[in-house]
Amino acid sequence: MILVVGGLGLALAGCGLTSELFRSRDRLVAEPQVCVPQRFEVYFADSEARLTESARQAIGLTAAKLNGCDIRRVEVTGLSDARGGGAANQSLSERRALAVADALKAAGWPAPVFTVEAVGETGSVTDSGAREPMRRRTEVLVEAAPRR
C-alpha cells in the first residue's frame, strides 16, 4: 500500500509487498508442528498414585494429539513431596510413573520406547523447609517426529 501525501509516495511498513507475497491464506497461516519433542506433567492427589479424571483427560488429549507421529522415546519420571518417609515416597513415585506409562501404552504408544524412573522426594523440600505439593506429579518427555 502506498500513501500519497503532498505528492510524495510513502510506503507503510510491511504493507507495500504484502499483497504480492501473500495472496493466499496458506502462505500466512501455517499449522503448528505437532510431531516434535514435547513435555507435559500429570498431577496426583496427596499420597495417591491413582490417575484422576483430569489426568486421564490430559493423557488422552496428548496421545490423540500425537497420533500419527513416530513416538521415538518416552521418559516418565515419578516424583513425590517430602511428606512421609524416603522409602514410601520412592515407592509412591514409582507407582505414579507406572500409572502414567501404562495409560500411555493403553492409548497406543509403543511400549519398547518407554523409560520409567522414580526420584521419590529428592528436591521436594524448599530452603525454608516447606513441603512442596507441586512435586506430586509425573513428568513426561516425549521425543516425537513426523512419520516417514
Side-chain angles (χ1 to χ4, degrees), residues 8-47:
L8 298 172
L10 302 173
L12 297 177
C15 294
L17 299 175
T18 302
S19 62
E20 294 299 318
L21 291 176
F22 301 110
R23 290 187 185 258
S24 130
R25 181 178 184 277
D26 294 339
R27 293 186 67 184
L28 288 173
V29 179
E31 289 291 320
Q33 290 186 342
V34 175
C35 298
V36 296
Q38 299 188 25
R39 177 185 185 274
F40 69 98
E41 298 173 333
V42 177
Y43 288 89
F44 293 84
D46 187 19
S47 301

Side-chain angles (χ1 to χ4, degrees), residues 95-145:
R95 289 183 286 132
R96 287 174 173 169
L98 288 171
V100 171
D102 288 346
L104 288 169
K105 290 173 191 174
W109 287 16
V113 300
F114 279 81
T115 301
V116 179
E117 66 177 333
V119 295
E121 65 187 37
T122 304
S124 64
V125 179
T126 63
D127 291 337
S128 66
R131 293 190 173 116
E132 182 58 61
M134 297 303 286
R135 294 279 301 178
R136 299 177 193 141
R137 72 180 191 277
T138 298
E139 295 177 347
V140 182
L141 302 172
V142 182
E143 184 181 321

